[in-house]
Amino acid sequence: MRAFQIIVAGQPPALTDLPRPAPGPGELRVAIAACGLNFADLLMIEGKYQDTPAAPFTLGMELAGTVEALGPGVTGPAPGTRVAVFAGQGGLAEAGVFPAERCIPLPENVSFETAAALQIAHGTSHVALGYRAGLKPGETLVVLGAAGGVGLAAVEIGHLMGARVVAVARGADKLAVTQAAGADHLIDADTPDLRAALKGLGGADVVYDAVGGTLGEAGLAALRPGGRFLVVGFASGAQPQVKLNHLLVKNLTVHGLYWGGYLKLAPAVLADSLAQVFAWAAAGAIRPHVSHSLPLDRSAEALELLRGRKATGKVVVTMT
């Protein structure tokens, strides 16, 4: 089988041929149909992600496909079952072995591409907004980096939860994508005074920050008293500077959110959240936006779309 791997740490990933793996105890083998890409894949290539595996390893954190074989002691999902898998690695390959407990049977009307695009972005945004920030109907949600994978998911889920959604993204084309996902107000990220623009809309109850840097600082400054700030990522490469006296005076709360960490912190929350996300997808209430879908042999090009900020929503790699 083919796999897109980091063969030597510090070297660019490459497409390589590997034996088809046999599942061990507690594992099953999946014939992979689609893999969603994430900013974390780029960090893994650079060795900067908090959970970067030891080389050699196959990139691709979230995937969907069909169960091929069960390892010893595994009773299901049965071979032939369509599943989604949050694997952390191994998705950019034609097959892989994964813990059976990570495999979620797919509703019939949810495609492999949708399932591969859905888990991390929509899972992150649902846990952040629903479990961490406690977003309520009628509140104002500001999403920074709103056209990216997790940002666009936050726009969609925030709208579904009844919030007034303010999308901050760079350029008219990206802002149009956020509007189609449910944003009520659009602000260009290059606005000279983002804080003033957000204040002009009445400020924010919740800020969802996947960007960091000066945009994050502006969003934090625009929070109303009692507001909540969600630290989701630092796509800008810089962390916002948080002034603790502002948190004190305005009774603000800062929530860190590392979605994968919930596998150990509170796995039941992750399971319940993903069940809700897939139920929404099956009902047509959420539809992940996939701006690019490329075959496995173009994985390097697919990753460059993320690195160059040329994608909106998700980039998916397919195996056929």
Side-chain angles (χ1 to χ4, degrees):
M1 69 171 199
R2 297 178 302 159
F4 194 67
Q5 283 202 318
I6 296 288
I7 300 170
V8 178
Q11 296 297 314
L15 197 62
T16 186
D17 290 315
L18 298 172
R20 212 167 185 86
E27 296 179 334
L28 49 74
R29 186 171 70 229
V30 175
I32 300 170
C35 176
L37 299 187
N38 294 275
F39 187 72
D41 290 305
L42 299 177
L43 295 178
M44 284 188 189
I45 293 171
E46 298 170 2
K48 296 179 179 178
Y49 190 59
Q50 58 263 30
D51 283 335
T52 300
F57 70 93
T58 299
L59 291 163
M61 301 177 70
E62 57 184 335
L63 60 104
T66 304
V67 177
E68 270 191 341
L70 305 181
V74 177
T75 58
T81 304
R82 301 167 67 253
V83 294
V85 188
F86 168 61
Q89 60 172 299
L92 285 177
E94 292 175 321
V97 294
F98 309 103
E101 63 187 16
R102 298 274 189 98
C103 301
I104 303 171
L106 288 179
E108 283 302 318
N109 61 339
V110 176
S111 70
F112 288 131
E113 186 177 85
T114 294
L118 193 69
Q119 297 168 79
I120 293 176
H122 284 77
T124 293
S125 294
H126 184 238
V127 171
L129 297 175
Y131 291 84
R132 298 293 279 171
L135 182 67
K136 300 177 182 64
E139 289 191 315
T140 297
L141 166 66
V142 171
V143 181
L144 306 177
V150 292
L152 199 59
V155 170
E156 195 171 23
I157 290 175
H159 173 75
L160 190 59
M161 293 175 70
R164 171 184 178 238
V165 181
V166 180
V168 180
R170 185 162 282 109
D173 291 345
K174 290 185 176 181
L175 286 170
V177 172
T178 70
Q179 187 172 37
D184 300 289
H185 300 278
L186 313 177
I187 299 178
D188 195 294
D190 288 329
T191 296
D193 191 340
L194 177 59
R195 175 184 176 277
L198 292 173
K199 287 280 193 178
L201 292 174
D205 297 297
V206 176
V207 171
Y208 183 103
D209 180 20
V211 179
T214 56
L215 290 186
E217 291 167 9
L220 186 61
L223 278 170
R224 297 168 178 164
R228 290 88 79 200
F229 187 82
L230 288 160
V231 181
V232 181
F234 311 108
S236 69
Q239 298 179 23
Q241 299 303 304
V242 178
K243 296 181 179 179
L244 297 184
N245 62 318
H246 289 184
L247 306 187
L248 185 153
V249 171
K250 296 174 70 176
N251 287 298
L252 304 180
T253 304
V254 176
H255 294 280
L257 191 282
Y258 168 40
W259 184 76
Y262 268 79
L263 287 168
K264 295 180 179 178
L265 174 66
V269 167
L270 214 61
D272 290 347
S273 174
L274 282 175
Q276 178 63 77
V277 165
F278 276 105
W280 279 334
I286 56 176
R287 298 177 179 85
H289 174 76
V290 177
S291 65
H292 298 82
S293 181
L294 286 79
L296 181 61
D297 59 7
R298 295 174 64 188
S299 294
E301 180 182 343
L303 287 164
E304 281 303 315
L305 291 169
L306 290 184
R307 184 176 283 108
R309 307 285 196 269
K310 296 177 181 178
T312 53
K314 295 290 287 189
V315 175
V316 171
V317 170
T318 58
M319 306 309 145
T320 56

